[in-house]
Amino acid sequence: MPNGVSWDTRRGERAQIECWPLTYEDWTKERRDDIELVAVADCLPALKIHPPPPT
Protein backbone atom coordinates (compact mmCIF):
# COMPACT_ATOMS: atom_id res chain seq x y z
CA MET A 1 0.00 0.00 0.00
CA PRO A 2 1.39 3.43 -0.84
CA ASN A 3 1.84 6.14 1.77
CA GLY A 4 -1.49 7.52 2.73
CA VAL A 5 -4.56 6.97 4.83
CA SER A 6 -7.17 4.24 4.87
CA TRP A 7 -10.02 3.22 7.17
CA ASP A 8 -10.37 0.05 9.21
CA THR A 9 -11.94 -1.20 12.41
CA ARG A 10 -9.97 -0.84 15.62
CA ARG A 11 -11.43 -2.08 18.89
CA GLY A 12 -14.83 -2.35 17.29
CA GLU A 13 -14.91 1.23 16.00
CA ARG A 14 -14.06 2.83 12.68
CA ALA A 15 -10.53 4.24 12.73
CA GLN A 16 -8.24 6.08 10.38
CA ILE A 17 -5.10 4.08 9.59
CA GLU A 18 -1.97 5.92 8.47
CA CYS A 19 0.39 3.98 6.21
CA TRP A 20 4.12 4.55 6.49
CA PRO A 21 5.88 1.95 4.32
CA LEU A 22 9.56 1.48 5.00
CA THR A 23 11.87 -0.16 2.50
CA TYR A 24 14.42 -2.69 3.71
CA GLU A 25 17.18 -0.40 2.54
CA ASP A 26 15.85 2.51 4.60
CA TRP A 27 15.30 0.26 7.60
CA THR A 28 18.87 -1.08 7.56
CA LYS A 29 20.29 2.45 7.65
CA GLU A 30 18.84 2.89 11.15
CA ARG A 31 18.92 -0.74 12.26
CA ARG A 32 19.76 -1.21 15.93
CA ASP A 33 21.51 -4.14 17.51
CA ASP A 34 20.89 -3.18 21.14
CA ILE A 35 17.28 -4.43 21.27
CA GLU A 36 16.41 -7.95 22.40
CA LEU A 37 12.96 -9.53 22.18
CA VAL A 38 12.14 -12.01 24.92
CA ALA A 39 9.17 -14.33 25.53
CA VAL A 40 7.82 -13.93 21.99
CA ALA A 41 7.78 -17.58 20.94
CA ASP A 42 3.96 -17.70 20.81
CA CYS A 43 3.90 -14.68 18.45
CA LEU A 44 6.39 -16.01 15.90
CA PRO A 45 3.88 -17.99 13.79
CA ALA A 46 1.65 -14.91 13.44
CA LEU A 47 4.68 -12.97 12.22
CA LYS A 48 5.64 -15.83 9.90
CA ILE A 49 8.99 -16.14 11.64
CA HIS A 50 10.43 -19.57 12.23
CA PRO A 51 12.55 -19.82 15.37
CA PRO A 52 15.98 -21.40 15.10
CA PRO A 53 16.19 -25.03 16.24
CA PRO A 54 17.13 -25.50 19.90
CA THR A 55 20.84 -25.91 20.57
Side-chain angles (χ1 to χ4, degrees):
M1 174 179 282
N3 289 342
V5 176
S6 64
W7 292 91
D8 206 340
T9 302
R10 183 186 305 142
R11 298 183 182 146
E13 296 184 19
R14 187 177 169 152
Q16 184 174 336
I17 307 298
E18 294 185 25
C19 303
W20 299 92
L22 181 64
T23 65
Y24 181 79
E25 291 77 21
D26 287 341
W27 176 73
T28 56
K29 290 176 190 174
E30 301 293 328
R31 186 173 183 168
R32 296 176 54 177
D33 62 0
D34 62 326
I35 298 171
E36 179 182 355
L37 298 178
V38 296
V40 296
D42 292 341
C43 300
L44 297 179
L47 299 172
K48 298 184 180 183
I49 298 173
H50 303 288
T55 57

